[in-house]
Amino acid sequence: GNSVTQMEGPVTLSEEAFLTINCTYTATGYPSLFWYVQYPGEGLQLLLKATKADDKGSNKGFEATYRKETTSFHLEKGSVQVSDSAVYFCALSEGGTASKLTFGTGTRLQVTL
Amino acid sequence: ETGVTQSPTHLIKTRGQQVTLRCSSQSGHNTVSWYQQALGQGPQFIFQYYREEENGRGNFPPRFSGLQFPNYSSELNVNALELDDSALYLCASSGPGQGLNIQYFGAGTRLSVL
């Protein structure tokens, strides 16, 4: 079956540091890939997405590139802010009529001044 | 703000009881999915409803059931509650014309089973 593996957290960074959160996936077909973010006490918000190999998703300074050869979708940001502190989830969907999302376990990011 | 609303926000039940959680989907969305998120884990897919019919189910027992109404709002019912059912329950809606069928999540209902 499908699965998503994320790097374990928490990740603690100083403000303006470079962020990478690793994500790899296993899927039988050609999934679409997503990063969702969950702020404390809130639901999930879509951060970015990519639908096919070599696509780059980007939003709010975050980027991730769909790498089919390495089955990866690593999240990066050049300069993090305190307000980026949250839990980040990598997810995939194989589409179709029941396009369920398969999530990783999440990576908590803590950014300090 | 996604336009997906869930109620109640928090709920406390005892083992063996039954619970109903509610979700109002974003305007124009005809598909609702439910997920269970245990503490420190990623959300797990429970089931999805499309135009009032179940349209896919995850690895959850039959005591987890659902409904979707003509206005596309939805309910999640859980019978014979167990301690392990304590979790954040998330509803997500999606609609036609988005190509990717992107799901928009509500803030969730936190269920505690004592």
Side-chain angles (χ1 to χ4, degrees):
Chain A
N2 297 338
S3 66
V4 175
T5 303
Q6 290 182 235
M7 63 186 287
E8 297 243 351
V11 173
T12 303
L13 295 173
S14 298
E15 201 171 42
E16 299 184 2
F18 183 85
L19 169 71
T20 300
I21 300 178
N22 291 337
C23 171
T24 57
Y25 67 89
T26 301
T28 53
Y30 300 94
S32 298
L33 302 174
F34 305 84
W35 277 99
Y36 279 85
V37 58
Q38 187 173 37
Y39 297 101
E42 298 185 14
L44 300 174
Q45 298 178 25
L46 178 65
L47 182 59
L48 53 83
K49 60 180 176 25
T51 60
K52 61 184 187 297
D54 299 326
D55 267 2
K56 177 185 282 188
S58 62
N59 186 26
K60 301 181 181 178
F62 291 90
E63 294 182 339
T65 301
Y66 190 144
R67 301 288 188 199
K68 185 170 179 292
E69 64 276 13
T70 54
T71 61
S72 65
F73 193 54
H74 305 320
L75 182 68
E76 297 182 335
K77 187 175 185 183
S79 176
V80 294
Q81 306 300 311
V82 172
S83 57
D84 293 327
S85 299
V87 181
Y88 292 81
F89 292 93
C90 185
L92 68 81
S93 170
E94 293 220 66
T97 55
S99 54
K100 70 172 186 175
L101 288 164
T102 300
F103 286 90
T105 54
T107 303
R108 180 175 299 280
L109 170 65
Q110 181 71 45
V111 181
T112 59
L113 290 171
Chain B
E1 186 70 35
T2 63
V4 179
T5 58
Q6 293 187 242
S7 63
T9 305
H10 296 88
L11 204 50
I12 299 174
K13 292 286 189 178
T14 56
R15 196 171 52 180
Q17 286 188 310
Q18 178 266 343
V19 68
T20 297
L21 311 181
R22 295 179 175 83
C23 172
S24 292
S25 57
Q26 186 169 323
S27 178
H29 286 183
N30 56 13
T31 302
V32 173
S33 303
W34 285 91
Y35 294 82
Q36 180 195 66
Q37 186 180 13
L39 197 61
Q41 300 297 314
Q44 298 290 316
F45 176 73
I46 303 175
F47 43 56
Q48 184 181 88
Y49 278 83
Y50 170 68
R51 293 187 176 181
E52 304 178 57
E53 297 286 333
E54 189 178 289
N55 185 44
R57 189 179 182 91
N59 189 26
F60 281 81
R63 59 189 185 84
F64 285 78
S65 63
L67 281 174
Q68 187 179 29
F69 300 99
N71 66 355
Y72 303 131
S73 65
S74 178
E75 287 183 354
L76 165 65
N77 298 290
V78 187
N79 293 322
L81 283 167
E82 301 178 359
L83 298 179
D84 284 349
D85 296 333
S86 295
L88 180 67
Y89 288 85
L90 295 166
C91 165
S93 76
S94 52
Q98 295 180 7
L100 192 54
N101 207 11
I102 294 171
Q103 298 185 23
Y104 296 89
F105 285 81
T109 294
R110 185 161 299 282
L111 173 65
S112 298
V113 181
L114 307 178

